[in-house]
Amino acid sequence: MNIQDILKQLNIAADNQGVSTGTVWSEGKGARLESYSPINNDYLAATQHTTREAYDEVVEKARQAFKTWRTVPAPRRGEIVRQIGNKMREYKEPLGSLVSLEMGKSYQEGLGEVQEIIDICDFAVGLSRQLYGLTIASERPQHSMMEQWHPIGVVGIISAFNFPVAVWSWNAMLALVCGDVCIWKPSSKTPLCAIACQHIIAEVFKENNIEEGVCNLVIGDDAGPWLSGDQRIALVSFTGSTRVGRIVGQTVAQRFGKSLLELGGNNAIIVTESADLSMVLPGVVFGAVGTAGQRCTTTRRLIVQESVYDKTIEVLKNAYGQLRIGNPLDANNHIGPLIDENAVNTYLKAIETAKAAGGRVIVEGGRYTPEGYENGFYVKPCIIEAANDLDIVQEETFAPILYVMKYTTLEEAIELQNSVPQGLSSAIFTSNLREAQRFLSAEGSDCGIANVNIGTSGAEIGGAFGGEKETGGGRESGSDSWKAYMRRQTNTINYGNSLPLAQGIKFHI
Ligand code: NAD
C-alpha cells in the first residue's frame, strides 16, 4: 500500500496547504503538523495546525451557514447525507487503507470503519423523516400541547485517534440531519484521515451547491480547548480519555454549554460455569487483543467462575501462543502496533506496576520487533492474574493487557465487574437464563452496554453507544441519541376565546 497512491486516490496533496471546496477547513497558515504511520514510523504527509485567527473565521462561517442549513427541510438534509454515504462507498478502499496506515489497525478494520460511516449515513437518512416530538394532553380546555425538536447550532466534534473516522461520522451525520452545522477537531495523531473525509464530503456539498461552513475541519491541539471554551459552540461532543474529558466537561459546563462525553472504559467479561468455551475464546481474544487493545470497548478484565478457571486460562494461554504480531496490512497478522512510543512506554509501565503490586504473569508481555518493522510500536499481548482493587487494574491502559480474576458466586462477579470507576461495556458468557437475566437486570451490570454471549467490543450502529460513571454518560449513534443534537421546545396553543391559567389560578383584572 503506497501512501502517495492512496493520497492521490483521495484527491489530497502530500503537503496540505488548506482547501476550501464547498466547505471549510483551516487555511494553511499554522505550524506544520507531520503524520507518521505506527506500522514502521514512516512519514506519510504533512498539514498545518489551525491558527486562532483561522479558527475564528471557521466558527463565523459555521454560524452563518447554520442560519440557512436549519431552514432546509430535514428530509432534504437527509438526502445530502444519503449522497455522503454513497460517496463513502466509492472511496471505501482508499479511505480504509489510509485509516490502516495512519492509525495502525488492520485493513479489514480500516474498511470496517468506513462501513460504519456508510451505516450511520443510512441510519441518519431514515432519521431525517423521524425527528418526532410528542403531543401532550393539556389540563386547560381548548388548548393543545406539543413538543418540538429544533436544531441546536454549531456542534464541535473532538475525536480520539483510535477511531479516526467512524466516531466523527456518528456525530456529524446525525447533527447534519438534525439541522446543525459541525466543526471537527480530529486527533493530531490522525489528521490525514480527517482531511480525506473532508474532501469526500466537500464533493457532495459542491455538487449540491451548499454554502461553505456546514461541515468544517480545524486541526491541532489548541483547537480542542478553543472549542470547549467557545460560547458560540452549542454542543461539544468529545471522544477521548477520561482525563481530558474531565477538563472538557468542566469547561463546557462553566459556560452552560452542552457536552456529550464518550470517555474511557474498563470493560469486563464474566465467564460462568455454564459458559460455552468455544464461544468464550474468540470473544475474549478478539476483545482483548483486537486493534492491539486500543478500543474503548477492549476487554481489560476477565472474571472467571472458579470451577472453570484453570480450563479457561489454559485455553487462553494456548490461543495467545498462536497470535501473530506484525504489519496490520498483512491479513495473516492478528495484532498490529500501538499508536506511538508513548503508548508502548505506558504499556510497559503498567505491566511493571501490576507485577510490583502482586500481579502474577500468566502470558508474558513486552516489546516486540517484527523483522523489517524495527521502527514500529509493537508489543506482545499479555495476561496477568490480579486483584480487581489494584490501582492499575482500576485504570484504563490503552494496550493489550488482560487482567484475570476468579469468583465464586454470580453476585460476587457482578460486584467485581461494577467495582471500577468506568462504565462502558460488559459481557457475560453463560447458558443459564437466570444468570443472563440477572446480569441484565437493575442489580446487574452498571454499564451502558451489557452483552450476553458476545464480547465487549463491536457495537452496532442501531443501538445507543456510550457508558456511565467516568465513561461520561453520553450516548451516540442509534436509538434516540439524536436528541442530544437538538433543543427541545414545549409549545402550548390556546384555540379558545378565553385565557384560563394553569393550575386553576385566578387573576382578575
Ligand atoms: P485523548 O483524550 O488523549 O485525546 C482525545 C482528543 O482530545 C484529541 O483530539 C486531543 O487532541 C483532544 N484534546 C487533548 N487535550 C484537550 C483539551 N485540553 N481540550 C480539548 N481537547 C483536547 O484520547 P486519545 O488517546 O486520542 O484516545 C484514546 C481514549 O479515547 C481512550 O481513553 C478511549 O477509551 C477513549 N475513547 C472512547 C470512546 C467512547 O466512545 N467511549 C471511543 C474511542 C475512544
Side-chain angles (χ1 to χ4, degrees):
M1 238 179 245
N2 179 309
I3 180 66
Q4 297 312 331
D5 289 347
I6 293 169
L7 295 178
K8 209 165 150 196
Q9 285 177 58
L10 292 166
N11 305 314
I12 63 178
D15 245 309
N16 287 281
Q17 297 298 326
V19 284
S20 182
T21 45
T23 187
V24 180
W25 73 289
S26 60
E27 303 300 317
K29 294 172 193 154
R32 186 176 162 91
L33 174 66
E34 296 185 338
S35 181
Y36 292 83
S37 172
I39 296 174
N40 206 16
N41 208 19
D42 291 328
Y43 172 74
L44 297 175
T47 181
Q48 274 92 26
H49 289 257
T50 301
T51 60
R52 177 72 209 202
E53 196 191 351
Y55 166 84
D56 282 327
E57 271 172 35
V58 166
V59 175
E60 282 314 313
K61 278 201 172 136
R63 275 156 59 88
Q64 207 52 41
F66 176 61
K67 289 183 183 163
T68 314
W69 187 247
R70 66 185 171 185
T71 65
V72 175
R76 172 72 195 138
R77 298 192 295 249
E79 163 58 20
I80 302 299
V81 169
R82 190 184 66 75
Q83 293 180 34
I84 293 176
N86 284 347
K87 202 63 96 180
M88 288 290 170
R89 285 176 171 90
E90 282 173 36
Y91 284 105
K92 185 171 178 181
E93 279 154 29
L95 184 57
S97 306
L98 184 61
V99 169
S100 301
L101 276 180
E102 198 176 33
M103 187 277 161
K105 57 177 68 177
S106 74
Y107 179 50
Q108 275 309 312
E109 286 179 293
L111 291 178
E113 263 207 63
V114 186
Q115 187 59 46
E116 285 196 43
I117 306 180
I118 295 166
D119 292 345
I120 197 72
C121 286
D122 286 352
F123 181 90
V125 175
L127 178 67
S128 71
R129 292 180 185 270
Q130 301 176 74
L131 301 169
Y132 302 138
L134 297 172
T135 55
I136 300 152
S138 169
E139 66 186 45
R140 285 169 281 182
Q142 298 187 313
H143 280 58
S144 65
M145 273 170 82
M146 66 179 186
E147 200 167 76
Q148 291 195 87
W149 291 90
H150 290 309
I152 202 170
V154 184
V155 175
I157 303 168
I158 303 176
S159 60
F161 79 85
N162 64 323
F163 276 92
V165 299
V167 166
W168 156 74
S169 71
W170 295 356
N171 286 282
M173 298 310 141
L174 293 200
L176 284 181
V177 295
C178 289
D180 302 323
V181 299
C182 306
I183 302 178
W184 179 17
K185 194 222 83 69
S187 166
S188 300
K189 295 170 186 172
T190 52
L192 302 179
C193 289
I195 293 169
C197 288
Q198 188 72 3
H199 277 253
I200 293 169
I201 60 172
E203 283 184 28
V204 173
F205 281 70
K206 202 171 175 188
E207 284 160 15
N208 288 276
N209 288 321
I210 290 176
E211 72 173 297
E212 275 197 340
V214 174
C215 271
N216 309 279
L217 179 65
V218 291
I219 286 176
D221 293 335
D222 292 339
W226 291 340
L227 283 167
S228 311
D230 194 333
Q231 198 71 45
R232 298 170 293 181
I233 310 300
L235 168 70
V236 176
S237 176
F238 174 85
T239 303
S241 61
T242 294
R243 183 188 66 79
V244 178
R246 203 184 297 278
I247 301 170
V248 172
Q250 287 176 12
T251 309
V252 176
Q254 198 105 33
R255 59 175 177 83
F256 297 108
K258 287 192 174 174
S259 59
L260 192 168
L261 301 175
E262 294 282 351
L263 314 178
N266 193 348
N267 319 295
I269 291 180
I270 297 175
V271 180
T272 67
E273 201 175 355
S274 66
D276 179 341
L277 269 190
S278 69
M279 288 164 75
V280 170
L281 188 66
V284 173
V285 177
F286 175 71
V289 314
T291 329
Q294 299 171 111
R295 284 181 180 228
C296 51
T297 52
T298 290
T299 309
R300 310 209 175 274
R301 297 174 298 137
L302 190 65
I303 305 168
V304 189
Q305 215 281 333
E306 58 192 2
S307 64
V308 290
Y309 187 80
D310 291 345
K311 177 79 189 152
T312 306
I313 298 298
E314 185 193 315
V315 173
L316 268 180
K317 262 171 95 170
N318 187 28
Y320 267 55
Q322 293 166 32
L323 292 174
R324 279 184 301 273
I325 307 163
N327 183 350
L329 303 177
D330 177 345
N332 291 315
N333 290 326
H334 301 100
I335 305 164
L338 293 180
I339 188 71
D340 55 21
E341 191 65 32
N342 273 344
V344 174
N345 290 333
T346 305
Y347 155 89
L348 293 171
K349 205 168 144 215
I351 295 176
E352 286 317 309
T353 308
K355 281 190 200 167
R360 183 172 73 90
V361 174
I362 290 178
V363 174
E364 193 73 61
R367 195 165 189 141
Y368 184 78
T369 312
E371 214 186 310
Y373 296 91
E374 287 75 14
N375 297 322
F377 308 107
Y378 299 85
V379 299
K380 291 188 255 182
C382 80
I383 302 181
I384 300 176
E385 186 183 65
N388 195 59
D389 58 4
L390 294 190
D391 287 349
I392 193 69
V393 177
Q394 296 278 310
E395 274 175 34
E396 177 198 53
T397 303
F398 221 49
I401 303 173
L402 180 67
Y403 299 110
V404 293
M405 56 202 79
K406 271 184 211 169
Y407 77 88
T408 309
T409 64
L410 184 65
E411 287 67 29
E412 193 190 329
I414 292 172
E415 182 62 28
L416 284 170
Q417 127 76 33
N418 291 345
S419 296
V420 287
Q422 311 82 353
L424 181 53
S425 186
S426 59
I428 190 168
F429 278 81
T430 180
S431 304
N432 180 320
L433 179 70
R434 286 186 183 139
E435 286 182 333
Q437 285 295 124
R438 184 148 325 155
F439 179 71
L440 300 181
S441 76
E443 53 187 334
S445 165
D446 65 0
C447 291
I449 298 167
N451 296 332
V452 176
N453 293 331
I454 297 172
T456 54
S457 61
E460 291 184 27
I461 284 300
F465 183 88
E468 305 300 337
K469 304 191 290 186
E470 289 194 1
T471 303
R475 291 296 186 279
E476 279 173 358
S477 182
S479 185
D480 65 352
S481 306
W482 60 271
K483 289 180 177 168
Y485 304 86
M486 302 199 87
R487 61 185 170 87
R488 184 197 308 246
Q489 188 176 67
T490 304
N491 308 127
T492 310
I493 301 139
N494 178 358
Y495 55 90
N497 299 319
S498 61
L499 191 65
L501 300 178
Q503 294 93 41
I505 290 172
K506 302 272 184 255
F507 183 72
H508 298 290
I509 45 169

